[in-house]
Amino acid sequence: MNQRQLQYAVLLSETGSFSHLAEKLNISQPALSKHILSLEKELGVQLFDRTETPLKMTAAGEYFVKEAKKLLDRENRLLHSMEQFRSGEKGQLTIGITPFRSAYLIPSVVKRVREKFPGVRVRLIEEGSDQLRKDAADGRFDFAVINMPVDETVLDATPIEPDKLAIVYSRELCGISPELDEADRVDFSQCEALSFVVLGVNQEMRVLFEKLCAASDIYPQIAVEAVNMTTAWELACTGAGATLLPLQFVNSAVADGKLIVKRLKNDVQLRQPAVVTKRGEYVSPYARYAIELLVGER
């Protein structure tokens, strides 16, 4: 039993004539009769009483046509739903990313994806880099943002803009280092007079802070150790100290003129991030659009 047989049986119940339906379908009457006979043989019951003109349905035929209409309607609705998923009218976009980058890299992308595909629900899974690599290889995400290198035998990777570093401090701290205040871009060695808000030990921004200190041979005071970048940012806004942050995070935040931002001259940047997808996996239109947005920021 197939869709065509169901459709023919329903239409025949409505027209009551093999010849009229065959003409309407632009097929031969014997071909149409063969489809109906094959269906009846498979079901083991007679659906139409051919001794009557116009055709009459048997009791089994009436029940069959009623249920066939339901099946065809469900199939049409299913196909329509699949088309909506294919076109991006509905669906779910699952993104794997570290909390470190999620705070500043994802909000604008999600906004634009939702504007273009309002029926799509976005699910963010924030994990550490090692777990992201494992889950991306297992196909858990539509895509993930992971630091290079990755296993490119399993994952397709497209590099995106590397993070750049900036020193951020409150206007309340102006005057501590006039040389620093007057410069557009600064060397980290100029920051020794500042006290710092830093992230926890082994976090990427903390590791970079310590590398900069060692390379510049300075050891500024640590005023506060925070859990995440957003907390460090808020503390810097209150004047608790300066902090080291990705410039992209700073540009995405709102400081209402409270903070001074200084780009670093030092040739130190965060690891190269990339958008990765599992090799050979289907990429939905909304995932493809989100990836284009991320890559377009390079």
Side-chain angles (χ1 to χ4, degrees):
M1 183 171 59
N2 55 47
Q3 183 194 48
R4 179 181 294 180
Q5 290 173 321
L6 293 178
Q7 290 173 331
Y8 286 175
V10 170
L11 291 171
L12 187 58
S13 72
E14 294 170 351
T15 60
S17 168
F18 277 97
S19 60
H20 289 166
L21 179 58
E23 184 178 355
K24 182 178 179 180
L25 296 173
N26 197 29
I27 62 174
S28 68
Q29 184 172 330
L32 175 61
S33 296
K34 184 177 179 180
H35 279 293
I36 298 300
L37 284 170
S38 176
L39 176 62
E40 289 178 325
K41 183 178 180 181
E42 181 180 350
L43 297 172
V45 295
Q46 186 174 343
L47 302 178
F48 297 93
D49 183 353
R50 293 164 175 76
T51 63
E52 299 282 342
T53 305
L55 284 174
K56 298 288 185 181
M57 286 186 294
T58 64
E62 289 180 353
Y63 179 82
F64 178 85
V65 166
K66 181 180 71 173
E67 296 302 317
K69 286 179 179 179
K70 292 179 183 178
L71 285 174
L72 290 170
D73 180 61
R74 287 181 63 186
E75 183 176 19
N76 287 334
R77 285 188 280 115
L78 177 60
L79 291 174
H80 178 66
S81 294
M82 293 302 99
E83 171 60 23
Q84 288 180 310
F85 279 104
R86 188 190 66 77
S87 66
E89 291 179 52
K90 64 166 62 173
Q92 177 170 287
L93 173 59
T94 303
I95 303 171
I97 192 166
T98 60
F100 169 74
R101 288 199 172 94
S102 181
Y104 64 91
L105 195 60
I106 291 300
S108 62
V109 171
V110 169
K111 178 178 183 292
R112 292 178 66 179
V113 168
R114 292 279 300 138
E115 287 172 348
K116 187 174 178 67
F117 303 102
V120 171
R121 180 176 65 180
V122 180
R123 183 182 179 213
L124 297 179
I125 298 179
E126 298 180 339
E127 299 176 329
S129 294
D130 291 342
Q131 189 63 43
L132 285 174
R133 284 185 175 82
K134 179 181 182 301
D135 288 343
D138 289 341
R140 186 180 176 193
F141 315 119
D142 288 281
F143 68 85
V145 180
I146 305 174
N147 288 324
M148 296 288 282
V150 298
D151 183 354
E152 296 190 53
T153 65
V154 178
L155 299 170
D156 290 319
T158 304
I160 60 176
E161 182 185 19
D163 293 299
K164 301 175 181 66
L165 296 178
I167 299 295
V168 180
Y169 58 98
S170 169
R171 294 190 179 277
E172 295 178 18
L173 299 181
C174 283
I176 291 177
S177 176
E179 181 186 5
L180 179 67
D181 296 337
E182 293 172 6
D184 293 325
R185 290 171 64 101
V186 300
D187 191 279
F188 194 73
S189 62
Q190 297 173 259
C191 302
E192 187 169 23
L194 295 175
S195 56
F196 274 84
V197 178
V198 298
L199 298 189
V201 175
N202 295 328
Q203 291 196 52
E204 189 169 11
M205 293 307 300
R206 177 65 174 272
V207 171
L208 286 167
F209 172 80
E210 291 173 350
K211 284 183 178 179
L212 284 166
C213 289
S216 304
D217 196 26
I218 65 170
Y219 299 92
Q221 179 188 7
I222 294 177
V224 183
E225 185 174 280
V227 175
N228 56 57
M229 287 192 300
T230 303
T231 303
W233 167 265
E234 295 293 339
L235 286 164
C237 285
T238 66
T243 193
L244 181 70
L245 292 172
L247 186 63
Q248 291 91 329
F249 174 89
V250 175
N251 290 339
S252 70
V254 179
D256 299 326
K258 295 178 182 178
L259 294 184
I260 295 172
V261 178
K262 300 291 184 180
R263 283 282 306 277
L264 282 180
K265 292 179 183 178
N266 304 68
D267 187 21
V268 177
Q269 59 181 210
L270 305 185
R271 289 173 290 180
Q272 173 65 60
V275 176
V276 301
T277 56
K278 186 173 181 181
R279 178 156 291 186
E281 290 285 297
Y282 169 72
V283 180
S284 67
Y286 35 93
R288 194 177 304 115
Y289 179 65
I291 292 170
E292 289 170 359
L293 293 174
L294 287 164
V295 173
E297 297 298 323
R298 296 182 65 185

